[in-house]
Amino acid sequence: MRPKERRDSGQNDLFRARLDQIVDLDHALAKLGRAIDWRFLEQRFGAVYTDKVGHPPLPTRLMAGLSILKHMHNLSDEDLCARWVENPYYQLFCGEEFFRHKLTFDRSSLTRWRQRMGEERLTALVQESLSVAVRTGAAKPADFSKVIVDTTVQPKAVAFPTDARLMHRARERLVKLARKTGVELRQSYARVGKHALIAHQRYAHAKQFKRANRALRTIRTYLGRVIRDIGRKIRDEAELESAFAHPLMLARRVREQRQHQRGRKVYSLHAPEVECIGKGKAHRPYEFGVKVSLAATLHRSQGGQFIAHVKALPGNPYDGHTLAAVIPEIETQVGANLARIVADRGYRGHNAPPEHKFKVYISGQRRRVTKTIKRELRRRPAVEPVIGHVKAEHRMGRNYLAGTHGDAANAVLAAAGYNFRRLLEWLALLLSIILATLTAPDDQKSHPTAA
């Protein structure tokens, strides 16, 4: 069933106060709520629902507004729910007419809504943020014809992976599942396994690697015994075999993988999709998560530098081989043809579409470079502060959403939160300029010597 969308009825209530009567309608968040085209979002997000009989879902403006606020102010789902109850501006932004003293939704509703929308429809939030930037004067349509493309890593919320820790956790998960399903193990190795892990960590810290490797072999032996014991106990039991299929598969992969193994490895048991990506940073040689492509405007608009496109790239592809898929999506999202794409040297040998092959300029390029293009190439590092802000302030620095779909959704929502944060500051700046203009004559009258 389709959601029952909210519309302003204009009615009063004797026992409740209308939000538009108790808040400042010139507040930046209230102005941003009026500037967003909620009907466009309702049309895009409402496409996943049908007209069948059933309980209606929550309104689109409520769920989309909560997602924007969450990533705009870097809040967890729990903190967002707590602030929504006590902040009338949050409720007005989400479409409420009257102040609510209790939540009208459940915290888990945010998770289910994100999973139902997916990356493809959540990009409508980024698209709408760019439209609002044009409508409010924060940016011009021509600003989105030239972009800087770069890649970064969106780290996952996982501990630093070590072979000893992974095998120890795999054994603990198997023992826990065996107790839950009623499978009696010959031995759980809970006590001696913990001691072996502590010994390995201490030996490795003291650089006594022979002793550390001996403790590591002990941990691997304990895991192998538990795997074989469970395999014997669940044989010919279809229900138990299906319950243990995935944990046993991960445990075997963790036990068999080696330090210098080529190909995919398991770096986290609760997030096996995590990849090890090296970006050449001295302070952080390797990061564990997913590669993300990000495109920002080349020149700073009046409202700041906006993100035109973002996309998660599982599989750790070569940077230059991502342009074939990224450039058409950028043009679709901004609604204009790209005149110039600036990238770093990691994009050499790119596979951009034929019509864009000569529109891509790489740092250090000498051919086909005019004075104007040379000046624009010096703007390429301007994307680095954008990436830093998205990571530090909009939840891309540590992704807590599960699965590959969570990686894609978090990247898109972080970009949308960044753009709407720029718009919020732009609207607040406009309000301060208007107030300063209105109060300037009075100040000159009261302080004639100031001139």
Side-chain angles (χ1 to χ4, degrees):
M1 190 172 181
R2 293 183 180 274
K4 186 178 180 181
E5 306 296 355
R6 289 178 175 170
R7 299 290 182 264
D8 190 356
S9 63
Q11 297 180 356
N12 293 320
D13 193 309
L14 181 62
F15 302 101
R16 293 187 298 175
R18 286 184 59 87
L19 286 172
D20 54 9
Q21 296 177 356
I22 63 175
V23 302
D24 181 12
L25 295 180
D26 288 331
H27 189 275
L29 194 58
K31 295 174 69 175
L32 180 61
R34 295 195 300 270
I36 295 175
D37 186 2
W38 297 105
R39 294 188 181 251
F40 166 75
L41 298 179
E42 291 171 4
Q43 182 181 1
R44 290 291 299 273
F45 295 144
V48 302
Y49 301 104
T50 61
D51 292 326
K52 295 181 180 179
V53 179
H55 190 277
L58 293 169
T60 299
R61 178 167 180 176
L62 173 63
M63 303 310 298
L66 289 171
S67 299
I68 293 172
L69 292 171
K70 171 185 171 67
H71 286 266
M72 189 163 58
H73 297 295
N74 192 11
L75 302 173
S76 65
D77 289 348
E78 291 79 4
D79 291 339
L80 177 64
C81 294
R83 289 200 184 187
W84 191 89
V85 173
E86 63 187 19
N87 196 325
Y89 289 99
Y90 278 23
Q91 298 187 17
L92 180 66
F93 183 78
C94 293
E96 294 288 344
E97 286 189 82
F98 302 95
F99 185 78
R100 300 276 187 172
H101 298 275
K102 295 182 180 179
L103 285 175
T104 59
F105 57 94
D106 188 69
R107 185 203 60 80
S108 58
S109 301
L110 295 167
T111 302
R112 291 192 294 269
W113 187 81
R114 283 192 298 261
Q115 293 174 349
R116 187 161 194 170
M117 292 301 126
E119 177 190 15
E120 182 181 357
R121 289 181 175 81
L122 288 175
T123 53
L125 293 176
V126 181
Q127 192 173 357
E128 179 59 21
S129 68
L130 302 180
S131 299
V132 174
V134 174
R135 289 197 296 267
T136 58
K140 299 177 182 178
D143 295 339
F144 303 106
S145 61
K146 299 178 181 180
V147 297
I148 311 171
V149 180
D150 198 6
T151 59
T152 185
V153 179
Q154 178 179 251
K156 198 80 166 183
V158 298
F160 187 86
T162 60
D163 291 339
R165 180 67 177 171
L166 284 173
M167 286 188 285
H168 178 73
R169 285 293 300 147
R171 181 191 55 76
E172 286 185 335
R173 287 164 66 96
L174 289 176
V175 171
K176 183 178 180 181
L177 183 58
R179 289 174 179 171
K180 184 178 179 180
T181 55
V183 177
E184 295 185 3
L185 299 179
R186 183 176 62 87
Q187 188 174 350
S188 66
Y189 302 98
R191 182 177 58 85
V192 293
K194 181 179 179 180
H195 290 171
L197 176 64
I198 294 174
H200 174 271
Q201 294 172 342
R202 289 178 176 175
Y203 287 141
H205 179 71
K207 300 187 186 305
Q208 299 178 12
F209 295 113
K210 288 186 178 180
R211 293 177 175 177
N213 290 333
R214 187 162 58 246
L216 182 62
R217 288 195 297 270
T218 301
I219 297 173
R220 182 177 282 111
T221 300
Y222 293 158
L223 176 59
R225 290 177 182 176
V226 172
I227 291 174
R228 292 189 294 271
D229 193 12
I230 291 177
R232 290 190 297 267
K233 299 291 177 60
I234 67 174
R235 189 172 299 161
D236 299 330
E237 297 285 345
E239 186 176 353
L240 290 176
E241 286 180 350
S242 62
F244 278 91
H246 186 66
L248 282 176
M249 181 270 294
L250 289 178
R252 291 191 181 102
R253 286 183 59 185
V254 167
R255 183 176 179 272
E256 294 168 1
Q257 67 188 14
R258 294 296 186 267
Q259 182 177 2
H260 301 290
Q261 169 184 323
R262 295 183 63 87
R264 292 292 302 273
K265 295 176 66 176
V266 177
Y267 298 102
S268 175
L269 294 171
H270 74 272
E273 72 278 359
V274 167
E275 301 160 355
C276 179
I277 303 172
K279 296 291 287 184
K281 301 176 183 177
H283 67 287
R284 193 174 298 169
Y286 300 100
E287 294 179 278
F288 300 92
V290 65
K291 181 177 284 190
V292 173
S293 173
L294 188 144
T297 53
L298 180 62
H299 297 289
R300 189 182 187 278
S301 307
Q302 289 187 346
Q305 199 169 2
F306 291 93
I307 295 176
H309 177 264
V310 67
K311 183 179 180 63
L313 303 169
N316 191 15
Y318 171 63
D319 289 358
H321 294 167
T322 63
L323 292 182
V326 167
I327 290 178
E329 291 187 9
I330 297 175
E331 293 186 334
T332 302
Q333 197 149 310
V334 301
N337 294 326
L338 293 178
R340 194 159 297 148
I341 302 106
V342 177
D344 61 13
R345 297 190 181 187
Y347 284 81
R348 288 176 294 184
H350 58 79
N351 62 347
E355 62 274 16
H356 295 87
K357 184 176 181 181
F358 297 104
K359 296 180 180 179
V360 180
Y361 292 86
I362 309 298
S363 295
Q365 183 173 333
R366 294 292 180 265
R367 295 181 179 180
R368 302 183 296 108
V369 176
T370 63
K371 289 185 178 180
T372 302
I373 296 174
K374 188 176 181 180
R375 189 163 53 250
E376 291 178 346
L377 282 174
R378 289 199 292 266
R379 286 281 305 167
R380 195 221 62 84
V383 73
E384 303 298 342
V386 175
I387 294 174
H389 283 296
V390 174
K391 283 190 170 185
E393 302 166 8
H394 303 284
R395 304 188 70 79
M396 192 186 281
R398 192 169 177 85
N399 176 27
Y400 294 90
L401 306 186
T404 55
H405 59 277
D407 294 335
N410 189 74
V412 174
L413 290 171
Y418 171 87
N419 285 347
F420 280 113
R421 183 67 175 267
R422 304 281 78 74
L423 292 171
L424 197 67
E425 294 177 356
W426 167 250
L427 294 173
L429 177 63
L430 284 181
L431 179 61
S432 63
I433 292 175
I434 293 172
L435 292 177
T437 304
L438 293 176
T439 57
D442 297 334
D443 293 342
Q444 291 178 1
K445 292 177 181 179
S446 57
H447 303 284
T449 59

